[in-house]
Amino acid sequence: MMLSKKDLIENFPILNRSIEDKKIIYFDNAATTLTPINVTNAIKDFYDYHNANVHRGAHLLSNEATEMYENARKSIAKFINAKTQEVIFTRGTTESINLFVYSIGKSDWIKGKDVLITTIEHHSNFVPWQQLAKTFDFNVIYYNPENGIFNLDEFISNITEDTKLISITGMSNVTGQVIPIREIINYAHEKDILVHVDGAQFVPHFGIDVKEIDVDFLSFSGHKMLGPMGIGVFYGKKKLLKKLPPFHYGGEMINWVSIENTDFAELPEKFQAGTPNVGGAVGLKAAIDYINEIGMENIKEHSKILTDYAMKRIKALDFITLYNPEDSSSIITFNVDNVHPHDVAQILSDKFGIAVRSGHLCAQPLLTQLGTKSVCRASFYFYNTEEEVDKLIEGLKFIKEWFK
Ligand code: PMP
């Protein structure tokens, strides 16, 4: 079910805002998506009527909060087809990946061995590996594709006898390229290599069935799929998570503590020290309810049609450098010849009410490969329309004239 303009404006109040007299056109979805009112209402309801700390209390509010929190986990588990104990709440993809690198780093699974990543990663799936390699004594192998375009055969040729783990994005936040994670996982498993997928962009646009695709570990963020900021998920196969050591230590993640030792809690608590973001989890559940109502298939189809349309229109402009490969989704990354991307973004906002991102997009190794320091990015979700893309094209033509 896709929504009418009227429903969209009712469900996403930001879409009713204007910049000067221009209705906002929100094309910054790869950074964060808009929040529907069922999400803000769910969070408000939690804080207004049920707010209490979870798992620890015998009183009514604590029981209600615990039930809401654990129901959220169940919904998310169902959404990705995982077991509930396999869903670890985190602050978002960045924290999920840090959790993973610290935890697997402390284990002896990758000690002295190779971890294969790529230079098309967001810094979240790059810097933790790079920085912690020395601390935990593993090697990082970087697949650095020419022109920033991922190629499966080239990628696979970087796998060696010593490769024990692959950590790769499912979809680039810069080029929108969709990575063949199914093929990577199949190939890796034949060689006993584990695979972690950074699903920050992939999951909101394609959903995922972790059992069917057989991914070992997955990270994603709530705020890129209609949920609130500050909540995300780390998924791992139960049998693997059970063997990994905790990341954070403290309350909630213990079974028994003595002066000599600590016995850790079972999954998922073992990886969730401290008071969790219960309101965030409740909000993420509401976001998933909303996505389910729209339907993932509809979201995919809409993305495809809109991306194809935008690519066709932008390719027709002779003053644009485009950085997308053919198989990109929902993201158009470009520069206007001889105009700084920050100027482009500012003028689009001020004169046309259009929100696009500009800068290095937290992917400097990839931008280096693309031969630039800074770009503009228009990124779509299911509430964006072809008329809005037309406005973007109008804005870009205006900018070209302005700087003539
Ligand atoms: N990975 C990718 C591919 C992303 O696009 C992002 C966010 N731009 C992240 C990781 C980091 O997500 P977060 O900031 O929610 O932790």
Side-chain angles (χ1 to χ4, degrees):
M1 169 198 80
M2 288 314 260
L3 299 167
S4 68
K5 192 89 199 150
K6 180 170 158 287
D7 289 338
L8 282 177
I9 286 175
E10 271 171 19
N11 290 353
F12 295 90
I14 282 189
L15 291 176
N16 212 16
R17 282 200 56 191
S18 301
I19 296 179
E20 307 257 318
D21 56 340
K22 312 281 184 316
K23 274 263 172 301
I24 278 203
I25 294 178
Y26 188 76
F27 281 162
D28 197 14
N29 293 287
T32 207
T33 48
L34 299 179
T35 316
I37 45 168
N38 79 311
V39 170
T40 36
N41 285 345
I43 297 168
K44 181 166 162 35
D45 173 70
F46 168 73
Y47 280 106
D48 283 351
Y49 300 110
H50 311 281
N51 186 19
N53 213 327
V54 289
H55 295 151
R56 298 172 192 176
H59 61 83
L60 178 78
L61 292 181
S62 178
N63 289 336
E64 285 175 0
T66 304
E67 197 178 323
M68 291 169 86
Y69 181 55
E70 292 305 332
N71 273 341
R73 197 190 312 273
K74 276 187 206 150
S75 280
I76 292 151
K78 190 159 174 227
F79 182 68
I80 62 169
N81 194 22
K83 301 187 179 93
T84 46
Q85 307 104 296
E86 295 173 326
V87 171
I88 317 284
F89 283 120
T90 62
R91 282 194 295 126
T93 306
T94 305
E95 189 178 80
S96 297
I97 297 176
N98 275 277
L99 178 162
F100 183 46
V101 183
Y102 271 96
S103 176
I104 199 161
K106 280 190 276 183
S107 78
D108 52 13
W109 292 7
I110 56 173
K111 244 179 204 89
K113 301 291 181 189
D114 293 350
V115 176
L116 175 58
I117 70 167
T118 79
T119 55
I120 67 166
E121 305 305 317
H122 185 281
H123 293 161
S124 295
N125 193 30
F126 191 93
V127 182
W129 298 109
Q130 180 199 58
Q131 290 298 307
L132 291 166
K134 279 206 179 63
T135 312
F136 293 121
D137 182 28
F138 58 81
N139 311 309
V140 186
I141 307 292
Y142 301 92
Y143 163 54
N144 192 13
E146 212 177 313
N147 304 326
I149 309 294
F150 178 92
N151 174 288
L152 184 60
D153 292 333
E154 275 173 28
F155 176 73
I156 280 176
S157 72
N158 286 275
I159 292 177
T160 67
E161 294 272 284
D162 280 336
T163 311
K164 284 283 163 260
L165 176 70
I166 290 171
S167 184
I168 187 154
T169 185
M171 173 176 158
S172 162
N173 66 308
V174 175
T175 62
Q177 187 179 16
V178 181
I179 305 304
I181 48 174
R182 181 185 297 279
E183 288 77 0
I184 294 173
I185 293 166
N186 288 343
Y187 187 88
H189 285 174
E190 275 173 25
K191 311 241 171 264
D192 272 340
I193 299 168
L194 296 171
V195 180
H196 165 256
V197 169
D198 169 355
Q201 297 297 336
F202 185 87
V203 172
H205 291 282
F206 297 97
I208 197 162
D209 180 330
V210 291
K211 292 280 174 295
E212 194 262 330
I213 203 167
D214 204 25
V215 67
D216 300 297
F217 302 100
L218 171 76
S219 301
F220 58 99
S221 300
H223 70 99
K224 292 184 199 284
M225 46 189 292
L226 310 183
M229 293 181 182
I231 189 86
V233 171
F234 179 65
Y235 158 85
K237 284 179 182 163
K238 188 173 165 189
K239 62 173 190 223
L240 300 175
L241 288 180
K242 271 179 150 240
K243 290 190 205 146
L244 283 178
F247 168 42
H248 287 145
Y249 299 98
E252 283 279 311
M253 52 78 68
I254 57 92
N255 187 23
W256 181 255
V257 182
S258 66
I259 293 177
E260 295 76 25
N261 204 8
T262 294
D263 181 28
F264 302 127
E266 293 298 321
L267 293 173
E269 277 77 28
K270 182 171 90 171
F271 288 104
Q272 296 192 157
T275 298
N277 180 359
V278 182
V282 167
L284 181 52
K285 176 191 183 309
I288 283 173
D289 290 345
Y290 195 100
I291 286 177
N292 284 335
E293 210 167 300
I294 299 282
M296 213 46 179
E297 286 308 313
N298 290 328
I299 293 178
K300 281 188 222 171
E301 192 186 327
H302 182 80
S303 276
K304 166 113 189 60
I305 294 169
L306 195 59
T307 313
D308 287 351
Y309 181 74
M311 288 283 269
K312 191 175 103 210
R313 291 234 50 200
I314 205 160
K315 273 183 179 167
L317 305 177
D318 62 4
F319 53 90
I320 296 285
T321 304
L322 197 57
Y323 298 99
N324 300 81
E326 285 307 317
D327 53 347
S328 55
S329 172
S330 312
I331 287 177
I332 306 283
T333 294
F334 60 92
N335 269 320
V336 177
D337 293 347
N338 305 317
V339 187
H340 194 280
H342 289 335
D343 289 337
V344 174
Q346 187 81 56
I347 297 169
L348 286 174
S349 177
D350 293 353
K351 299 265 180 224
F352 294 86
I354 300 174
V356 297
R357 183 135 300 241
S358 57
H360 58 60
L361 310 184
C362 296
Q364 286 174 334
L366 174 51
L367 260 67
T368 304
Q369 278 299 82
L370 296 175
T372 181
K373 283 206 165 70
S374 188
V375 289
C376 283
R377 176 182 70 191
S379 53
F380 314 128
Y381 211 27
F382 60 81
Y383 33 70
N384 293 123
T385 63
E386 291 187 0
E387 294 74 52
E388 291 178 332
V389 170
D390 292 342
K391 276 267 169 242
L392 172 68
I393 301 296
E394 195 188 314
L396 295 175
K397 288 181 179 167
F398 174 89
I399 290 167
K400 174 172 187 256
E401 286 306 308
W402 178 290
F403 282 90
K404 218 163 152 181

